[in-house]
Amino acid sequence: MLELKHIKKYYHVGDSVTKALDDVSVAFRKKEFVAILGPSGSGKTTMLNGIGGLDVYDSGDLIIKGKSTQDFKASDWDAYRNNSVGFIFQSYNIIGHLSILDNVEMGMTLSGVGNAEKKAKAVKALERVGLGPHMNKRPNQLSGGQMQRVAIARAIANDPEILLCDEPTGALDTETSVQIMDLIKELSAERLVIMVTHNPDLAREYASRIIEFADGKIQHDSNPYNEETSNENFALQKTKMTYWTALKLSFTNIKTKKGRTALTAFASSIGIIGIAVVLSLSTGFQTQVNKTQTNTLAQMPITISQTAQQQQKQSDKIKTAKASNQTVTARVSQADKATHTNNLTIDYLTYIKNMSPSLSNNVTYTYSTGMNLLRQVDGKTKSVTFSNKNSKSSTATSMSAAMSSMSGVATSVYPTSDNANFLKKHYQVVSGQYPTSANEVVLIANRDNTVNINALKNLGYSAKSGDQFKFSQIVGTTLKVVTNNDYYQKLPTGNYLPNKITDSLYNKANNQTIKVVGVLRAKTKDSDNVLASGIAYSDKLTQNIIKANKNSDIVKAQKDSDTNVMTGTRVDSDMRDTLISTLGGSSTPASILIYPNSFKNKDKVLSYLDKYNQGKSKDDKIIYTDLAGTVSSLTGGLMDAITYVLIAFAGISLVTSMIMIAIITYTSVLERTKEIGILKALGARKKDITRVFDAETTILGVASGVLGVVIAWLLTFPINAVLSNVTGLNNVAHLNPMHGVILIIISTVLTVLGGHIPARMAAKKDAATALRSE
Ligand code: ADP
């Protein structure tokens, strides 16, 4: 059955050599009860471990069923221990955190026996050793004798051919010892039992054969046996622990040290908390920035004016090698270089008109066209304007629309192309209603209900700062727009002059009636200044006026004259063009304002505009201003930078927690050395041991990841409360669920990586040494 041939096992410690087994040759029968007697340190355990495959001999051969084990691989030894050998130790070696049944089943679990069969066999084994009634207790609720019975049940559950017992009664009282010995004796009727003991009485009473050992050598054998070459069938079934078993082993182990695990998970979750909070804040801020960007978009349209500021180019610098004492160098001033005249041709206007409406439904055209506006105040007809400029300081009030559009963002012209949606989006009605036609205008009030005093004055109200006006004084007010032909008279000199402002001029049949239909106020802070405070009118109104005045006498006269037809002073062609458009003789807008409907579409609009410039000469290029872009690229870049720095800091704490997990796993490995030995004795492979510890770190990693994410999520509430107090922004911190999931995965992967090295160390542990450890 089993034969040792010249087995040697030497231990080298420092310079000294311990000959634990010194040329041992012995053979065992298929069924017998062998006692190995000898003083402590004589090599008994070493031999038993050698027979059981826990320890591999240095030289010689161990023959199992006629098969040499000289070229056994680790996996063969694992399978041999699992299939053919049962171990019983002096110190029971029950895995404390598993149930009795799980302990007994472990060998079969490792070899993948099906659940039902496994349980049936385990129950049978437990009943056989007399533990039927105690099956559901925890190991720590059992007496020493009962523990040893569990160990015996575990050893015989898979019905092995060899039972190896190392001082099985060494820790038991006499009465219990007798019961255990009786049990082992009974088992020896079916298999080979080899028992190590230093108690000669016990050996003599129970064993059928006594081998005496001393100094690593057999001194006497009471019943020697010579093995004939046997041709027994010998096949080993390989063991394999499933991930599920590994998880279960780790989980029950973790359960026994809940407090420590919770603390570890918490400590290692701090890195995750850090990153999650940073991410949720930056996502929140990003959302906030995006929101603001969409709003700045409304406030800062892409502007195409007749003159544009050009981007400075470094290459334009003149290389002045040396400042000379004798000469001066001519150069173009920065301001001159920067100004570019946009030639807004019909082509370009058509190009803008053809832009896909899905990109921008708001395109406003402002014109430098003046309006011949009249209003009757207290029964008297007065000349008024829609301008909000101070008429004393402004020389060309009639050009107000153009001025305001060129001076920056705010304009008093809104697009009509989208049926007043633009107004509805940004403004609410305080009194009256939204305009429904080109002849209806509104008064834009600031959010504190103030209105630019010039706007009121220019409309004909006598206003001093602080004066209050009822809505009813404003809403319903009507004005007249007089055509050029009615407004101007031709003098005999050929010059033109405005007619006297009279009631009859007010009542001319060709006049258009304009009505102030409402007072509007910005809905939110972001919409403030989308339109300038004062009268706002649609670009359609200006277009109508241009239509009416384009072919008026004064326009025709001005087109043919190189003097100002009103003052008689000479004008150059630029000045003449300005005069013509002021008089409504030009349908070329002073500026075009494009309000894209999203930031993405803004980029598309810009590239559409850029496309026009492709291949055009410098002078024909149309240069636009994108204020919103400048603002957003600034804030966006800043956000990214801050996020990276914060994540880097949080990452450091993540690495720290990873190292901590490695240390914890390492301690766990040390703590569970015995368990590693037991598992190995039961046939667990190195891989299985690694797997058990990897499973443990996986559990820890998932736990700390989930804990970190949950804590970070909980933290967003107080953070938001504080932020909303300080900045007035609501719900800034927002943890993206996707980020949460990714962080849990990162935590798990890092933890497993950190724990893997100690896990590998555990797997490398020598089984025999592991079992000897306390
Ligand atoms: P017994 O079981 O008869 O008490 P052992 O087989 O345990 O004896 O030990 C035999 C000898 O081998 C002892 O001297 C012991 O110190 C030595 N020994 C056992 N294991 C080791 C080891 N891992 N390293 C060094 N020496 C060992």
Side-chain angles (χ1 to χ4, degrees), residues 11 13 18 20 39-46 769 772:
Y11 289 111
V13 178
T18 309
S40 181
S42 56
K44 308 181 297 286
T45 302
T46 306
T769 323
R772 275 174 205 264

Side-chain angles (χ1 to χ4, degrees), residues 379-398:
K380 271 182 70 187
T381 303
K382 274 184 152 186
S383 171
V384 298
T385 73
F386 282 161
S387 155
N388 55 13
K389 296 277 179 294
N390 187 333
S391 52
K392 277 179 198 150
S393 64
S394 171
T395 45
T397 47
S398 56

